[in-house]
Amino acid sequence: MTLDFDLDRYVRNSKAVDLSGVAWDDIASYPVSGEEARCLTFMMDIETHTVMYARDLLATRAAFDPEITAFMSCWIYEEFWHGEAFSRFLGEAGFTLAPDREKVHAGSPYPTKTARNERIRRALGRGVYTGHLVSMLGSALTKEFIAIQMTWGAMNELSAINSYQAMIEKTENPVLRDILRRIIKDERRHFAFYRAQARLRLERSARARRLARWAMERLWAPVGTGLRPQEESDFSLVWLFGDGEGLDRMRRIDATIAGLPGFADATLAEDARRRSLERLPPHRIPQLASDWALAHAGVHREHAA
């Protein structure tokens, strides 16, 4: 058992995010900007496709670890419901998404956005199989590969937490703030598991520390990169973290990851922010958000940004 994460407690208490009492009917009474909706759509796609990352993870030595597989059994389920929560929020806010512009509401059957999710997965094409094979090969070559995966997962979960916190600070919609706070509680537990596993494996192997540091600095990219077009990833990162407060938040992410063995002085988040700003200057965000909102607004939409 990992010393600083109570896996037994987590597994016993795992459940779909608690959305009881969410004021769904109030969503349309408050503004939802184009920036928020576009970013939230990106987040929804990431959460909904957690199963793709899990599939690659289970093709490696991680599949033989009872603790990791117990965690993943609950993690995939919880992430699925995060995606559905965002899907319903977007629907109640009046946004419809390609390819079928499905209208999601309280009575919609689950899962929602099946046409969208199928199209996203098919669009990944060879990359799906290439990533799967790379994971298998990396695991076959070194038993330290799990340390890389756990570090990668810790960085992704920490990034998600901070992205949701940043959106809470930016949005004027109290219902969205409520939903995000509920989801963050799950993400904190996910991060705690990955960090505990990463620390355990990095502490006991100098080779694992070297490989993980190399992989994170040269191969890691913000969660969702590759799943969606680069502009989608850049848009979310620049809008959420492109200002001075965003830079401070990214530096705090790096400071947390720097607490892992072998990651002293790592600047993964700050470097990712810099690259996104080089590709997508902040002055382009408002127009991109406005164009996106107009393209995805449903017939009852009142607050298109």
Side-chain angles (χ1 to χ4, degrees):
M1 180 67 67
T2 306
L3 295 179
D4 48 356
F5 183 83
D6 191 338
L7 182 60
D8 176 69
R9 181 179 179 183
Y10 169 72
V11 171
R12 290 177 184 275
N13 290 284
S14 177
K15 61 182 180 179
V17 59
D18 181 11
L19 298 175
S20 60
V22 170
W24 298 104
D25 293 340
D26 293 346
I27 291 173
S29 300
Y30 299 94
V32 179
S33 71
E35 287 88 346
E36 291 167 17
R38 183 171 182 175
C39 187
L40 197 63
T41 299
F42 179 69
M43 293 171 169
M44 175 192 71
D45 289 337
I46 293 171
E47 297 278 16
T48 303
H49 289 80
T50 297
V51 66
M52 303 298 282
Y53 176 73
R55 183 208 59 171
D56 291 344
L57 195 60
L58 288 173
T60 71
R61 297 170 187 263
F64 301 112
D65 189 305
E67 292 189 2
I68 292 177
T69 53
F71 167 79
M72 289 178 63
S73 299
C74 302
W75 172 61
I76 298 170
Y77 180 73
E78 292 175 0
E79 297 282 20
F80 167 81
W81 284 108
H82 296 172
E84 290 296 342
F86 291 150
S87 176
R88 181 171 174 188
F89 178 89
L90 289 164
E92 298 287 357
F95 290 98
T96 59
L97 305 176
D100 60 348
R101 301 186 73 84
E102 174 189 0
K103 294 181 180 179
V104 179
H105 51 80
S108 296
Y110 295 115
T112 60
K113 296 188 171 57
T114 55
R116 178 179 181 83
N117 293 332
E118 181 179 3
R119 190 177 76 166
I120 289 173
R121 294 173 190 184
R122 290 188 182 279
L124 294 174
R126 295 180 182 176
V128 172
Y129 303 105
T130 300
H132 193 64
L133 292 172
V134 168
S135 295
M136 293 175 65
L137 179 61
S139 179
L141 291 175
T142 175
K143 65 180 181 179
E144 312 296 356
F145 194 74
I146 300 179
I148 299 173
Q149 293 172 308
M150 295 298 103
T151 305
W152 199 293
M155 186 64 184
N156 284 351
E157 295 293 345
L158 185 59
S159 299
I161 291 168
N162 280 271
S163 295
Y164 298 156
Q165 288 174 332
M167 183 171 278
I168 286 172
E169 295 173 4
K170 290 178 178 293
T171 186
E172 296 179 17
N173 193 300
V175 185
L176 179 56
R177 289 197 294 267
D178 181 21
I179 293 170
L180 289 168
R181 290 190 182 103
R182 296 173 189 231
I183 289 175
I184 284 174
K185 292 179 181 179
D186 286 347
E187 301 292 2
R188 288 190 183 282
R189 289 188 287 270
H190 300 167
F191 169 65
F193 174 82
Y194 278 113
R195 178 175 59 180
Q197 286 284 331
R199 179 180 291 120
L200 179 69
R201 296 167 191 281
L202 293 170
E203 281 179 345
R204 65 190 186 195
S205 171
R207 187 163 186 261
R209 293 192 290 274
R210 290 194 301 270
L211 288 173
R213 182 69 179 255
W214 180 91
M216 294 300 293
E217 290 185 336
R218 290 166 176 79
L219 303 177
W220 178 83
V223 59
T225 303
L227 173 69
R228 305 301 293 129
Q230 184 66 58
E231 184 179 86
E232 295 296 326
S233 176
D234 289 337
F235 180 93
S236 295
L237 196 150
V238 171
W239 180 62
L240 289 170
F241 303 110
D243 57 10
E245 292 181 3
L247 176 58
D248 290 341
R249 189 178 291 280
M250 296 300 257
R251 286 174 173 168
R252 290 196 294 272
I253 291 174
D254 284 331
T256 300
I257 294 299
L260 292 175
F263 280 83
D265 302 321
T267 56
L268 302 172
E270 187 174 351
D271 291 345
R273 175 184 181 275
R274 172 181 49 77
R275 290 191 293 267
S276 287
L277 285 168
E278 290 171 352
R279 289 188 294 260
L280 183 60
H283 69 81
R284 292 188 57 201
I285 293 294
Q287 187 60 54
L288 289 172
S290 179
D291 291 346
W292 188 95
L294 290 173
H296 296 85
V299 295
H300 62 288
R301 178 71 180 147
E302 297 178 357
H303 299 289

